[in-house]
Amino acid sequence: MTPTGFPSPSARWIRDDDQVVLALSGDWRRGGKTPEIQGDAPDEAPTRYATHQLDGFDSTLPAFILAHLRSVAKPVDGEEQSMPSLDGLPPDLLGLMKLALAVPEEIEARQTPDNISEIKKLGKTSLNVWASILSVAEFTGQSMLALGRFVTGRARFRSRDFWMIVQECGAQALPIVSLISFLIGLILAFVGNVQLASFGASLYVADLVGIAMVREMGVVMTAIIMSGRTGAAFAAHIGSMKANEEIDALRTFGFDPFDFLVLPRLLALVLMMPLLTLYANAVGIFGGMLVGALVGIPPVLYWNETVATLSLTTASLGVFKSFFFGAVIAMSGCLQGMHAGNSSAAVGEATTRAVVASITTIIILDSGFAAIFTVLDI
């Protein structure tokens, strides 16, 4: 018995000489127990049905019988299919089955596995990659043109929006940048001290933390934070405007959506990224100094060693890279937002793509800069 007190549904396939009998029993209703199938389903329609133990049913039972009848049907070109035997079905179920079988199945509606060759998959992937490259190239060109219009004073956007975006990219990002940079400095100092203490060179923890923060960790971690925080916000904001047809409204009123939406975000993030990078470097070095004080390195000595180690060239490498990282984050977020679909689900997908694209591009760019700096012996 099912938890509701009805008999459990079951279907049993029986071969009686040359006949195939489908014995149905129990209560077939949605939300009930899963039907128990006994025996192997034959490759032919049942000759008759045994329903003397059938209690009740809803659409579940006709759907089960219809699915089997259609699975064993063998279409013949130019010939109309004959009605399979429905002998033994109760009158109400018999009427439902005749009505269902009278309507031909829509083959297009049937879910069939996609048999796509590997060559076709490769072609589709290549076309998608090429379309993405063209989209990025076009967006980059529009960004350069917008910057040119800004330099010549022909770009139009509201200064209030620009300063609001500056605040969102700068001051409001300080708490998370502070926390992550401080913890990165602590981690570098702890790991470095474990290795250097065995050589009696704990003082060089200051060199390790200082160089690592200003060259790589400060700018990279800041860029990753801004990708997940600000780049995603850019994509979601512009994507929502596109879904609500606000971008079309801007065009109707004679505003260039690129100048009005993309340009202020690009300028704000390129302006704020170097400042955030300098702040992250300072906080990371402070975290390393705290660990140095805990392991017996006086803060004054730690600071003097850091200043002696960091040259102006070394300290400026991360700041130099931050301009490019800021542009990448802003362009990735705005690009995905402008190309988002007209639904809430599409906005979420655009936000995800923006974060993934910006972080991936940042890592690739950083690897390229590292190779260039190595070749130039910087």
Side-chain angles (χ1 to χ4, degrees):
M1 300 289 285
T2 61
T4 56
F6 295 108
S8 300
S10 67
R12 185 160 53 97
W13 294 98
I14 305 172
R15 261 200 191 276
D16 186 8
D17 295 334
D18 294 335
Q19 294 186 340
V20 177
V21 180
L22 177 59
L24 302 170
S25 62
D27 192 83
W28 292 68
R29 298 184 189 276
R30 290 176 59 87
K33 192 174 181 180
T34 303
E36 179 184 359
I37 311 300
Q38 301 177 8
D40 296 330
D43 294 334
E44 55 183 312
T47 308
R48 61 185 177 86
Y49 297 84
T51 59
H52 56 279
Q53 294 183 346
L54 182 63
D55 290 305
F57 63 90
D58 55 14
S59 60
T60 304
L61 181 55
F64 169 75
I65 299 175
L66 185 64
H68 175 71
L69 293 178
R70 284 181 170 168
S71 67
V72 300
K74 298 178 180 178
V76 179
D77 294 339
E79 295 185 10
E80 186 177 352
Q81 295 296 307
S82 61
M83 179 73 69
S85 174
L86 302 175
D87 185 26
L89 294 179
D92 47 356
L93 181 56
L94 179 63
L96 286 174
M97 292 306 304
K98 287 183 176 180
L99 182 62
L101 291 172
V103 180
E105 182 185 10
E106 293 288 345
I107 303 300
E108 292 79 4
R110 181 185 298 177
Q111 293 184 353
T112 56
D114 295 333
N115 297 321
I116 302 177
S117 64
E118 296 299 325
I119 296 297
K120 191 172 183 179
K121 291 180 181 178
L122 178 61
K124 285 187 173 181
T125 302
S126 301
L127 290 175
N128 291 335
V129 171
W130 179 245
S132 299
I133 293 174
L134 290 179
S135 176
V136 172
E138 180 184 1
F139 196 85
T140 303
Q142 290 181 346
S143 300
M144 297 300 102
L145 292 175
L147 288 174
R149 290 193 295 270
F150 173 74
V151 172
T152 57
R154 292 183 292 113
R156 292 190 300 170
F157 59 85
R158 296 194 304 178
S159 60
R160 180 185 303 176
D161 292 344
F162 171 74
W163 291 114
M164 185 179 298
I165 297 170
V166 167
Q167 182 180 356
E168 293 175 355
C169 298
Q172 295 181 8
L174 289 178
I176 184 63
V177 172
S178 302
L179 176 62
I180 300 301
S181 301
F182 180 74
L183 293 178
I184 291 296
L186 289 178
I187 293 170
L188 290 174
F190 272 122
V191 174
N193 182 69
V194 169
Q195 300 299 321
L196 294 174
S198 60
F199 300 99
S202 297
L203 178 61
Y204 291 103
V205 169
D207 301 56
L208 171 66
V209 174
I211 293 175
M213 287 301 300
V214 300
R215 286 184 68 104
E216 296 293 339
M217 297 306 298
V219 63
V220 171
M221 293 308 300
T222 302
I224 292 175
I225 292 169
M226 299 304 289
S227 297
R229 182 188 178 277
T230 306
F234 287 173
H237 188 186
I238 296 178
S240 298
M241 293 184 67
K242 187 173 185 296
N244 294 331
E245 299 182 353
E246 296 177 43
I247 295 180
D248 295 334
L250 287 175
R251 291 193 179 96
T252 302
F253 283 105
F255 294 101
D256 187 344
F258 207 91
D259 288 354
F260 203 80
L261 298 175
V262 177
L263 184 58
R265 287 169 171 78
L266 179 61
L267 293 175
L269 201 51
V270 170
L271 177 65
M272 287 292 103
M273 271 298 295
L275 301 179
L276 289 174
T277 300
L278 290 172
Y279 177 76
N281 294 341
V283 173
I285 292 173
F286 174 74
M289 183 182 297
L290 181 61
V291 174
L294 294 177
V295 299
I297 304 175
V300 175
L301 182 59
Y302 187 101
W303 176 253
N304 290 335
E305 181 66 21
T306 300
V307 173
T309 302
L310 298 179
S311 63
L312 182 60
T313 301
T314 303
S316 63
L317 294 181
V319 178
F320 173 76
K321 291 189 288 186
S322 67
F323 289 100
F324 296 92
F325 291 172
V328 164
I329 296 168
M331 291 176 62
S332 296
C334 295
L335 170 64
Q336 298 301 332
M338 295 289 283
H339 291 174
N342 297 326
S343 66
S344 57
V347 174
E349 294 173 359
T351 303
T352 302
R353 290 196 303 267
V355 175
V356 173
S358 58
I359 293 178
T360 303
T361 308
I362 285 166
I363 300 301
I364 294 174
L365 277 179
D366 190 62
S367 302
F369 280 125
I372 293 173
F373 295 157
T374 302
V375 171
L376 298 178
D377 195 21
I378 299 178

